[in-house]
Amino acid sequence: MAEISRLPGPVADRWNWQLQGACRTAGPETFFHPEGERGPTRRERDEAARAVCLTCPVLQRCREHALRVREPYGVWGAMTEDERTAYLATRPNGIAAAS
């Protein structure tokens, strides 16, 4: 008989928190910038995304996920791409802090 205790759990167990995300009521264009977006337009979109994130019951899980997997695009857990990059640059070996 195969040893299954070392296999990862069901995928739903790892991603189920996303079903509770406040972002599910907003379009992806709120969280992900179009190519070439810069300046005030990008800052305003980022702030709109953060406003959604700050009402979210799973903000911390979202942020931890984005930092752990080094999510390269968009606003996750109220952090922009640049903010995540800067945060990870301050961590020893670029590892996100455990919660």
Side-chain angles (χ1 to χ4, degrees), residues 67 70-72 79-90:
L67 291 168
R70 296 178 178 270
E71 195 63 58
M79 292 179 83
T80 66
E81 303 156 15
D82 293 339
E83 290 168 334
R84 289 191 304 275
T85 299
Y87 173 81
L88 289 170
T90 68

Side-chain angles (χ1 to χ4, degrees), residues 6-90:
R6 292 180 292 150
L7 294 175
V11 173
D13 291 347
R14 290 185 288 178
W15 299 101
N16 205 30
W17 61 269
Q18 291 184 359
L19 297 175
Q20 300 167 40
C23 58
R24 291 176 57 87
T25 62
E29 66 279 356
T30 302
F31 301 92
F32 299 93
H33 65 84
E35 187 174 339
E37 182 184 60
R38 290 181 180 28
T41 303
R42 185 163 180 172
R43 283 191 298 277
E44 289 169 10
R45 187 196 41 73
D46 285 344
E47 286 305 316
R50 278 193 194 97
V52 173
C53 292
L54 293 175
T55 69
C56 188
V58 294
L59 180 144
Q60 192 61 37
R61 296 244 359 233
C62 180
R63 181 177 290 173
E64 290 168 358
H65 160 77
L67 291 168
R68 184 177 59 255
V69 302
R70 296 178 178 270
E71 195 63 58
Y73 303 110
V75 174
W76 291 75
M79 292 179 83
T80 66
E81 303 156 15
D82 293 339
E83 290 168 334
R84 289 191 304 275
T85 299
Y87 173 81
L88 289 170
T90 68

